[in-house]
Amino acid sequence: MTHTVTIKPSNQSFELQEDECLLDGALREGLHMAYGCRNGACGSCKARVLSGDIEHGVHQESTLSTAEKAQGFALFCQTKALSDVVIECREISALKDIVVRLMPCRVQTLTRLAPDVMHITLRLPSSERLAFLAGQYIDIISKAAPRRSLSIASPPHQEGLLELHLRNYGGPFSQFVFNTLKEKDILRFEGPLGTFFLREDTQKPILFLASGTGFAPIKAIIEHALHQKIPRAMSLYWGGRIKEDLYLHELATEWAQHHGIHFVPVLSALPPDDPWTGRRGLVHEAVMVDHPLLADYEVYACGAPIMVESARRDFINHCQLPEESFFSDAFTPGAP
Ligand SMILES: Cc1cc2nc3c(=O)[nH]c(=O)nc-3n(C[C@H](O)[C@H](O)[C@H](O)COP(=O)(O)OP(=O)(O)OC[C@H]3O[C@@H](n4cnc5c(N)ncnc54)[C@H](O)[C@@H]3O)c2cc1C
Ligand code: FES
């Protein structure tokens, strides 16, 4: 049995299959809405159901609270319809020409950028190219490890090779990449996925906020912006625990010297006697010290879920950042 889903304010509608979630049904029909992890962990797909009966599916109280449910909010990547429904969300037209594909690829290089960060390049089949927006991610699929999401660190104009940065979290996927995967191995991936990309219909100054390997999609976006000669002011705040976490510090310094990008590295776990002369503390708090008012900015935040959530909450509540000017990908853990 199918149910009709109507999207407000556009009045577009589509048929949802019996066991399909709202997000999958919309994407299948080429209707793009905000999303990130697709497993109920990040909250990016949260939007309102205006009428109809739904089943919320699996989620945590921290991602969708009881109060939000009472106001009609739901996580579209988990929610199924039990009747025809009317939902309210903004559609993302920039993704209309992007096709999600299942593709084979070959591991071209595996290089340590830091003791716990692997730089991976994937070669696409010679006749293929992948159309994506800088900042999107892919899901790596292998029989040897669970499916995991990794952001594309290279910009779309760099054809043929996809660059990824993986932190060793110690889980099954990290162990597979750090201990078993070899150059020339064949993998498959699904992508491009996600809605973390640069909105180019505004001239607002951009504030990039990364923790650890959250730098990966931000690197892609900055390289895309430089290639396109986008004239907007850009600042990059990159946080880690120790210096090694800022594994491409020299590249960010080079952007600052040659392209005028304001670069602020911030470290949170240094011993007091460490000779580091840069900023210390939490990276999103460093932003708030420098920018107590963010009303005219766009913020792009990526990395640890706690950093992304703290930045969203504090920038909106204390720095007057409009909610619609905060874009993020939280690196939520993969499903077991
Ligand atoms: C949209 C998206 C994009 C992503 N892009 C990247 C990327 O470009 N680079 C990258 O390194 N990772 C990225 N991730 C995270 C990645 O998909 C995996 O979660 C990660 O590789 C861990 O997989 P695992 O199997 O090794 O460990 P898991 O089984 O996922 O986790 C093992 C343990 O590590 C902890 N853990 C997992 N992830 C994190 C985290 N982010 N912060 C703190 N603790 C964690 C878990 O709580 C768990 O205890 C992304 C995630 C999402 C949702
Ligand atoms: S919670 Fe739905 S996309 Fe992350």
Side-chain angles (χ1 to χ4, degrees), residues 137 148-151 165-167 169 171-174 213 331-332 334:
Y137 71 91
R148 290 288 185 261
S149 306
L150 287 184
S151 304
H165 303 166
L166 175 70
R167 164 109 181 260
Y169 298 98
F173 185 78
S174 309
T213 45
F331 285 0
T332 52

Side-chain angles (χ1 to χ4, degrees), residues 11-73:
N11 274 331
Q12 301 250 37
S13 64
F14 63 93
E15 289 301 304
L16 192 69
Q17 305 298 323
E18 175 123 23
D19 51 1
E20 212 175 21
C21 65
L22 293 171
L23 177 68
D24 285 351
L27 294 179
R28 177 174 46 72
E29 291 295 313
L31 300 167
H32 295 276
M33 43 187 72
Y35 73 94
C37 68
R38 299 198 300 172
N39 63 19
C42 74
S44 294
C45 65
K46 196 185 303 174
R48 221 182 202 126
V49 177
L50 299 177
S51 67
D53 297 327
I54 57 160
E55 182 187 299
H56 279 285
V58 181
H59 63 275
Q60 294 163 6
E61 172 74 14
S62 55
T63 317
L64 179 69
S65 67
T66 308
E68 287 172 318
K69 277 193 267 186
Q71 293 163 28
F73 286 100

